[in-house]
């Protein structure tokens, strides 16, 4: 593990947080390789999705696997957990979205898609789940009823990733052609499309107030965008290989990124600087998750390695000169 303290655009050094590895979650089964993870808002629980088709619920601090949910018949590609840590959503290569009770492990609904599910995202109140599939579609579902609200399909655009705003006002999508789309939750109408990257977008994340979206790409960069206008606020560079996953704090102040270069980057969004780098592997980092207060970050790898959960302790911010302050912040 190493930490970097780049010079900010204002000529001030961002104080690097103290970063400590607090947990390595081990395999649950002899042939299990984890794919994706989602962290509860208070960082007490972590949800896993795996090649062996299971969904797991883990206690972060003890490392104990509390639940193992079975029912998918293909690898689980995406998972999400509600703000109150009671509902889990999973998306699988078996063309279904699973809705689960995180406390009991009971499967509440099976939502049928027409192709492999690439991404799922829950609203903060767990009333709505959004999903994207390999048939170039996005769907919105009523979690309690287990019914589809709407679905849309783009002929020439595959969606690898999507993110539902916590207030369930909009969905952000990332496509293989490098565009970010913003969709109205009520109507399904496209509100905004902007060319974000020169290569495929692997992951998107959106702030709680739906004003900021982060994206990452095979072009090795992370983009920070204003939802309303599509304006580029920051372009974060420093990874030396594809950036495969991104997480954004609720207030859009911090981004975590995971790359095929084997590192996790922690970024100060306002200053556009990387304040920490965690690297303990030559494997690709395929999933990152941030706690609500950004004190914890979890990451998983594409090989048979334990998931790392890191604690970040930040000192007081240095005094800064005045700087351009986008209205969205």
């Amino acid at each position: 593990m190493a930490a970097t303290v780049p010079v900010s655009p204002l000529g001030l050094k961002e104080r690097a947080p103290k970063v400590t590895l607090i947990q390595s979650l081990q395999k649950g089964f002899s042939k299990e390789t984890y794919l994706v993870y989602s962290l509860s808002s208070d960082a007490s629980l972590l949800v896993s999705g795996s090649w062996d088709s299971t969904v797991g619920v883990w206690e972060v601090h003890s490392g104990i696997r509390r639940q193992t949910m079975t029912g998918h018949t293909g690898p689980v590609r995406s998972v999400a957990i509600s703000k109150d840590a009671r509902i889990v959503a999973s998306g699988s290569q078996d063309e279904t979205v699973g809705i689960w009770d995180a406390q009991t492990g009971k499967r509440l609904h099976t939502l049928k898609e027409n192709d492999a599910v690439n991404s799922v995202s829950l609203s903060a109140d767990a009333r709505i789940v959004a999903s994207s599939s390999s048939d170039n579609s996005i769907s919105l579902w009523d979690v309690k009823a287990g019914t589809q609200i709407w679905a849309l399909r783009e002929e020439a655009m595959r969606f690898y990733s999507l993110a539902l705003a916590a207030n369930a006002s909009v969905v952000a999508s990332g496509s293989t052609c490098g565009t970010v789309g913003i969709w109205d939750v009520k109507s399904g109408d496209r509100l905004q499309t902007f060319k974000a990257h020169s290569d495929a977008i692997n992951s998107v994340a959106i702030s709680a107030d739906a004003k900021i979206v982060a994206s990452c790409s095979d072009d090795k960069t992370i983009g920070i965008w204003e939802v309303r206008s599509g304006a580029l606020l920051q372009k974060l560079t420093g990874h030396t290989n594809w950036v495969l996953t991104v997480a954004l704090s609720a207030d859009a102040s911090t981004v975590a990124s995971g790359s095929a270069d084997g590192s996790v980057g922690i970024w100060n969004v306002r200053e556009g600087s990387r304040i920490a780098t965690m690297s303990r592997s030559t494997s690709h980092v395929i999933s990152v998750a941030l706690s609500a207060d950004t004190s914890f970050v979890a990451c998983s790898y594409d090989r048979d390695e334990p998931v790392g959960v890191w604690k970040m302790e930040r000192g007081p911010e240095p005094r800064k000169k005045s700087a351009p302050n986008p209205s969205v912040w």
Side-chain angles (χ1 to χ4, degrees), residues 105-278:
K106 180 181 178 181
R107 189 163 185 163
L108 304 176
H109 294 291
T110 299
L111 313 177
K112 187 68 176 73
E113 290 278 15
N114 295 315
D115 210 329
V117 180
N118 296 320
S119 184
V120 293
S121 183
L122 277 167
S123 61
D125 60 9
R127 295 176 62 185
I128 296 174
V129 64
S131 61
S132 65
S133 299
S134 292
D135 66 348
N136 303 354
S137 69
I138 295 174
S139 299
L140 206 70
W141 307 85
D142 183 306
V143 170
K144 185 176 182 179
T147 55
Q148 190 176 70
I149 299 170
W150 54 252
L152 59 90
R153 189 170 184 270
E154 295 286 323
E155 289 296 332
M157 193 178 296
R158 178 174 291 185
F159 304 105
Y160 275 165
S161 178
L162 56 73
L164 177 61
N167 61 9
S169 59
V170 297
V171 175
S173 63
S175 77
T176 54
C177 58
T179 59
V180 169
I182 306 297
W183 312 84
D184 183 79
V185 163
K186 289 184 178 179
S187 66
D189 292 339
R190 188 201 305 266
L191 303 177
Q192 184 72 254
T193 301
F194 44 92
K195 182 66 175 177
H197 294 274
S198 60
D199 211 330
I201 295 174
N202 295 311
S203 180
V204 292
I206 193 166
S207 61
D209 61 7
K211 291 182 178 181
I212 303 291
V213 65
S215 59
C216 67
S217 168
D218 282 354
D219 68 8
K220 307 177 187 178
T221 70
I222 302 149
I224 309 297
W225 312 87
E226 183 183 11
V227 168
R228 182 182 58 202
S229 66
L232 176 65
L233 302 175
Q234 293 284 5
K235 180 72 78 171
L236 308 178
T237 61
H239 282 298
T240 58
N241 207 334
W242 311 315
V243 188
L244 301 175
T245 177
V246 68
L248 182 66
S249 63
D251 63 359
S253 66
T254 304
V255 162
S257 59
S259 171
D261 65 15
S263 71
V264 174
I266 306 298
W267 309 78
N268 180 305
V269 172
R270 186 188 296 272
E271 295 185 359
S273 60
R274 179 153 56 174
I275 58 174
T277 300
M278 290 92 84

Side-chain angles (χ1 to χ4, degrees), residues 277-300:
T277 300
M278 290 92 84
S279 181
R280 65 171 192 177
S281 172
T282 58
S283 301
H284 297 179
V285 180
I286 59 171
S287 183
V288 294
L290 276 172
S291 62
D293 63 0
T294 72
S295 293
F296 297 90
V297 59
C299 60
S300 63

Side-chain angles (χ1 to χ4, degrees), residues 74-90:
V76 179
R77 293 182 168 187
S78 181
V79 290
I81 187 169
S82 62
K83 187 175 181 180
D84 63 6
R86 292 181 177 273
I87 299 294
V88 169
S90 58

